[in-house]
Amino acid sequence: MFDITEELKKLPNSPGVYIMHDADDTIIYVGKAVNLHNRVRSYFRKIVGRGPQIDKMVEQIARFEYIVTDSELEALVLENNLIKEHSPKYNTMLKDDKTYPYIKVTVGEEFPRILFSREMKKDRSKYFGPYTSAASVKDTIELMNKLYQLRTCNRRLPRDIGLDRPCLNYHIKQCLAPCQGYIGKEEYRERVEQALDFLNGNYKPVLKDLEQKMQEASEQLAFEDAIRYRDLYNSVKSVAQKQKITDSDGEDKDIIALARDESDAVVQVFFVRDGKLIGREHFYMMHVAGYDNAQILLDFVKQFYAGTPYIPKELMLQEQIEDIEILEKWLGTRKGSRVYLRVPRKGYKEKLVELAAQNAQLVLSQDKERIKREEGRTIGAVREIAALLELENIHRMEAFDISNISGFANVGSMVVYEKGKPKRSDYRKFKIQSVAGPDDYACMKEVLTRRFVHGMEERIELDRKEIDKEFGSFTKFPDLLLMDGGKGQVNIALQVLEELRIDIPVCGMVKDDNHRTRGLYYRNVEIPIDTHSEGFKLITRIQDEAHRFAIEYHRSLRSKAQVRSVLDDIPGVGPARRKALMRHFKSIEDIKNAEVAGLCEVPEIPEHIACQIYDFFRRAGD
């Protein structure tokens, strides 16, 4: 039995990390302290004004443990690691752990390359970034390869020079083929230096050079080259215009501010590199109720910069936070040079922080509106349907449809919606086993019987094993069954449920003569529904989704059957050779008309198999 009063007496006067557990031994809070004795004891004193969130957390503490460290800096690092590993419910948490793209120039190689990277390693390469858009990084790399024609291959140069033919990039003028010795090391290095100059923001030389080449090509009537230089010129100009100068000192800094309401907080970060604003990003912080802005900013800085590979020279914050000195020391250790945390009070730096705060507020308000609209389309729509059918609560809906062509390849589909959103992991396909012809009612009866019998068997298995968890998606029964059709399909469903002694409301989705949803069939009555309502739109989406899912499954079976019926009857032709033949000839008809020599052109088809294919189709023709 853990005696909190006695354990508090044993706390050391040392720096370290403390870990709070609840009655289920779940970690609910992790914190660091300069003095564990003073800090942990403070939670159990009757202190007025520390906030309902902390009071609520303290009420749940069943026991605590602690780890002593040599310094406050070690405690900070350990605290971050434990929070990231356990995600305690009362710690303010950075919602998503993003990785940012970099442009990597492998200057440590004799023939360097320009690569995309999400890691920044100590590998003698030069890194540019981080950037907020992976697509922009890839576009920039593609542009630079067109401009400077550097290699992108993994060949070991100069060791592998001349061992293989030049690749496609050489033929499309995006590489000068150092792998063939077509360009010397010194000339290649000059191009690398020009690329580095470009990445540092010096666009004028390349713009001037491209403009001159474009003019010369035009004068020589080499219009294709002129167009290529023009496109490159426009691409470079576009990249140059995206770089906004924000600071005259040309240093790297991150500008950090937040906006919040009672339950949510958004932190906005502007990334400034070499004095240029290269992008911005926003981050959501969870569990913020009861914490002030300074605490949220502190937790963000600790968690975000523990995970990002690049740390700028300066962090400009919206307001003063605790532990500035220890944070600067920790960040400086990670960066390898001095890092400053500052709160600007005047001038353009303060304006930048204000701008970041305004952007954070905008994201927060827009997100609230988006969530509100999304809830209207999903949860709100479900409530409308429940009210229309006079049902108390609908959480899970399942819709079923049958697809066939004149009774060929009868299939059924089951789509699942929870809280008004599709739950695709619970979708199921049924290949009809007991019905040979075009009988949709009999097919639906088989599908529903299999679905609910399977679910009942899984539930029995769970009870037998005394396992308190879901065995499979079939164990969950819906709150509402939606049938694609009217009275007939509804009655089939009610018959199956009655035979299995399952009580679930069943509703038909009735269509008009133009195959558009017009209403709901429920309890032997067709209920009209407002076609402009969110409930109607949700019913339409569910009906279309069930139909799409069934059609796709039927189409896949049909195409497989068409291929199998011919090629898989030929001895020696299995799935791999069938695919190779279809890839080469494009159609069964072309394969049928091919001579033995033509069939042998397929690398996977040896001569004796080609003869068998040829003979098979000739016999079939007879």
Side-chain angles (χ1 to χ4, degrees):
M1 185 72 179
F2 190 88
D3 189 330
I4 289 180
T5 305
E6 286 300 313
E7 294 300 324
L8 287 172
K9 295 175 183 177
K10 301 175 185 177
L11 286 163
N13 292 295
S14 307
V17 172
Y18 55 93
I19 305 161
M20 306 297 196
H21 295 255
D22 64 12
D24 297 324
D25 211 32
T26 302
I27 294 175
I28 59 174
Y29 188 79
V30 175
K32 72 168 182 63
V34 180
N35 186 308
L36 285 167
H37 183 272
N38 295 341
R39 181 62 175 161
V40 177
R41 288 172 66 89
S42 70
Y43 284 98
F44 299 94
R45 299 192 191 112
K46 291 184 179 180
I47 300 175
V48 179
R50 64 184 176 186
Q53 185 82 349
I54 298 176
D55 288 338
K56 186 177 179 182
M57 184 264 289
V58 172
E59 288 174 5
Q60 296 179 41
I61 297 174
R63 73 177 185 91
F64 61 82
E65 58 180 317
Y66 53 87
I67 303 170
V68 175
T69 60
D70 288 334
S71 66
E72 191 180 357
L73 178 59
E74 285 186 14
L76 174 72
V77 174
L78 180 58
E79 177 198 31
N80 262 334
N81 292 338
L82 290 172
I83 289 173
K84 189 171 183 179
E85 181 178 352
H86 298 289
S87 301
K89 66 184 290 187
Y90 287 103
N91 281 96
T92 304
M93 292 288 297
L94 180 60
K95 187 173 181 180
D96 40 12
D97 190 12
K98 300 182 180 180
T99 59
Y100 289 94
Y102 292 81
I103 294 176
K104 174 181 178 180
V105 185
T106 60
V107 292
E109 296 178 333
E110 291 196 46
F111 291 90
R113 297 167 292 161
I114 301 174
L115 305 173
F116 177 96
S117 176
R118 286 195 179 271
E119 293 182 285
M120 191 173 178
K121 301 177 180 177
K122 293 182 179 179
D123 56 1
R124 296 191 301 154
S125 297
K126 283 193 176 181
Y127 289 84
F128 295 84
Y131 299 93
T132 55
S133 168
S136 296
V137 170
K138 290 173 183 175
D139 288 345
T140 302
I141 292 172
E142 184 181 354
L143 170 61
M144 295 185 70
N145 285 328
K146 289 178 181 177
L147 285 171
Y148 303 108
Q149 297 175 281
L150 304 180
R151 73 185 184 102
T152 58
C153 64
N154 294 321
R155 296 177 186 178
R156 296 280 298 275
L157 303 183
R159 187 194 69 183
D160 296 343
I161 288 178
L163 292 183
D164 206 347
R165 293 178 297 174
C167 65
L168 178 64
N169 283 347
Y170 168 73
H171 297 289
I172 62 174
K173 299 183 179 179
Q174 287 193 19
C175 179
L176 292 168
C179 60
Q180 303 301 307
Y182 295 166
I183 181 173
K185 183 177 176 181
E186 295 305 318
E187 186 183 348
Y188 190 91
R189 274 283 173 179
E190 284 179 17
R191 288 178 173 267
V192 172
E193 291 302 322
Q194 291 171 11
L196 292 171
D197 202 30
F198 180 92
L199 286 169
N200 282 316
N202 187 6
Y203 308 110
K204 289 182 180 179
V206 70
L207 284 169
K208 185 178 178 180
D209 181 54
L210 286 170
E211 190 172 19
Q212 184 179 337
K213 287 179 177 176
M214 180 172 57
Q215 187 67 34
E216 290 173 357
S218 181
E219 290 172 356
Q220 295 168 10
L221 304 181
F223 296 119
E224 286 188 11
D225 288 340
I227 290 170
R228 184 163 60 89
Y229 292 131
R230 182 202 63 190
D231 291 343
L232 287 172
Y233 179 89
N234 290 335
S235 297
V236 174
K237 203 168 183 181
S238 175
V239 170
Q241 286 172 349
K242 288 178 183 176
Q243 303 293 326
K244 300 176 183 177
I245 298 294
T246 61
D247 196 352
S248 58
D249 61 17
E251 291 186 347
D252 296 353
K253 57 173 64 70
D254 287 353
I255 299 152
I256 306 168
L258 67 81
R260 63 172 301 182
D261 56 21
E262 291 180 1
S263 57
D264 298 296
V266 171
V267 177
Q268 181 85 37
V269 184
F270 287 169
F271 301 104
V272 178
R273 301 293 178 264
D274 292 322
K276 300 175 181 67
L277 178 64
I278 66 162
R280 63 179 184 174
E281 191 60 86
H282 62 268
F283 303 86
Y284 290 93
M285 299 294 289
M286 303 184 297
H287 313 154
V288 301
Y291 294 98
D292 59 22
N293 290 357
Q295 182 64 46
I296 297 169
L297 280 174
L298 172 63
D299 289 337
F300 173 79
V301 169
K302 289 192 293 186
Q303 293 175 43
F304 178 68
Y305 292 100
T308 185
Y310 180 80
I311 298 171
K313 184 177 181 180
E314 183 179 12
L315 306 185
M316 290 178 9
L317 305 175
Q318 186 178 16
E319 57 183 84
Q320 197 72 28
I321 62 176
E322 292 181 359
D323 302 328
I324 289 281
E325 289 184 11
I326 193 70
L327 281 172
E328 287 183 340
K329 187 176 179 182
W330 170 61
L331 291 169
T333 302
R334 292 202 70 238
K335 179 178 176 61
S337 60
R338 185 74 187 270
V339 176
Y340 300 88
L341 276 70
R342 296 190 173 113
V343 182
R345 299 297 185 192
K346 60 182 180 179
Y348 71 91
K349 290 185 177 181
E350 184 189 25
K351 296 294 183 186
L352 284 172
V353 173
E354 287 178 2
L355 184 63
Q358 290 170 13
N359 276 269
Q361 183 62 55
L362 188 64
V363 170
L364 186 64
S365 50
Q366 285 177 343
D367 202 51
K368 290 285 184 185
E369 287 299 315
R370 181 188 60 77
I371 291 170
K372 189 176 179 181
R373 288 195 304 272
E374 181 64 20
E375 284 184 349
R377 291 180 70 252
T378 55
I379 297 173
V382 173
R383 287 182 185 139
E384 285 182 20
I385 296 167
L388 197 66
L389 303 178
E390 297 180 351
L391 297 173
E392 284 188 15
N393 182 44
I394 298 175
H395 172 76
R396 179 183 174 102
M397 295 185 286
E398 293 181 3
F400 294 81
D401 193 14
I402 300 296
S403 180
N404 62 60
I405 294 179
S406 300
F408 171 75
N410 286 315
V411 299
S413 70
M414 164 183 148
V415 301
V416 180
Y417 276 64
E418 289 189 354
K419 295 183 179 179
K421 295 180 181 179
K423 189 178 183 185
R424 292 184 174 85
S425 60
D426 281 7
Y427 283 19
R428 290 296 180 267
K429 304 169 183 174
F430 299 85
K431 193 172 181 180
I432 305 301
Q433 300 167 350
S434 63
V435 184
D439 188 341
D440 284 1
Y441 289 164
C443 291
M444 184 61 74
K445 184 174 182 180
E446 180 189 321
V447 167
L448 292 173
T449 302
R450 286 166 58 187
R451 183 263 177 269
F452 286 108
V453 168
H454 193 163
M456 293 167 70
E457 289 172 350
E458 285 187 354
R459 288 182 169 193
I460 292 169
E461 185 70 9
L462 283 177
D463 291 340
R464 186 180 68 79
K465 293 184 177 180
E466 297 182 349
I467 303 172
D468 186 23
K469 67 176 184 178
E470 291 177 23
F471 190 81
S473 63
F474 282 147
T475 56
K476 284 185 179 180
F477 283 5
D479 303 303
L480 179 66
L481 262 184
L482 292 168
M483 310 305 298
D484 185 46
K487 183 177 179 179
Q489 293 286 17
V490 169
N491 286 338
I492 288 293
L494 289 171
Q495 181 186 336
V496 170
L497 294 173
E498 186 179 354
E499 289 174 0
L500 297 175
R501 297 182 181 180
I502 300 171
D503 183 20
I504 297 172
V506 181
C507 180
M509 300 179 287
V510 186
K511 292 182 178 181
D512 60 20
D513 294 337
N514 296 315
H515 211 65
R516 293 177 301 198
T517 308
R518 76 177 185 216
L520 299 175
Y521 183 83
Y522 184 61
R523 291 178 178 170
N524 296 319
V525 177
E526 185 175 321
I527 305 170
I529 184 169
D530 180 5
T531 56
H532 300 291
S533 68
E534 291 296 342
F536 174 81
K537 293 173 184 174
L538 177 58
I539 289 291
T540 303
R541 289 198 298 273
I542 293 173
Q543 193 169 31
D544 290 344
E545 180 70 351
H547 190 60
R548 177 199 65 79
F549 195 52
I551 288 290
E552 280 189 2
Y553 183 40
H554 186 266
R555 188 180 293 129
S556 70
L557 290 181
R558 198 166 69 242
S559 63
K560 286 177 184 176
Q562 286 172 346
V563 175
R564 281 193 59 83
S565 64
V566 181
L567 296 183
D568 282 8
D569 290 337
I570 304 172
V573 177
R577 284 174 176 164
R578 183 184 72 219
K579 288 178 184 177
L581 285 164
M582 291 303 295
R583 196 162 51 238
H584 184 84
F585 287 101
K586 309 303 181 188
S587 73
I588 296 289
E589 195 62 28
D590 288 345
I591 299 172
K592 184 177 179 181
N593 295 329
E595 298 294 329
V596 172
L599 293 166
C600 287
E601 290 178 6
V602 182
E604 292 84 354
I605 305 298
E607 187 177 353
H608 73 284
I609 297 294
C611 291
Q612 287 180 201
I613 297 170
Y614 181 83
D615 292 341
F616 175 86
F617 283 114
R618 297 307 170 278
R619 285 197 304 272
D622 298 339

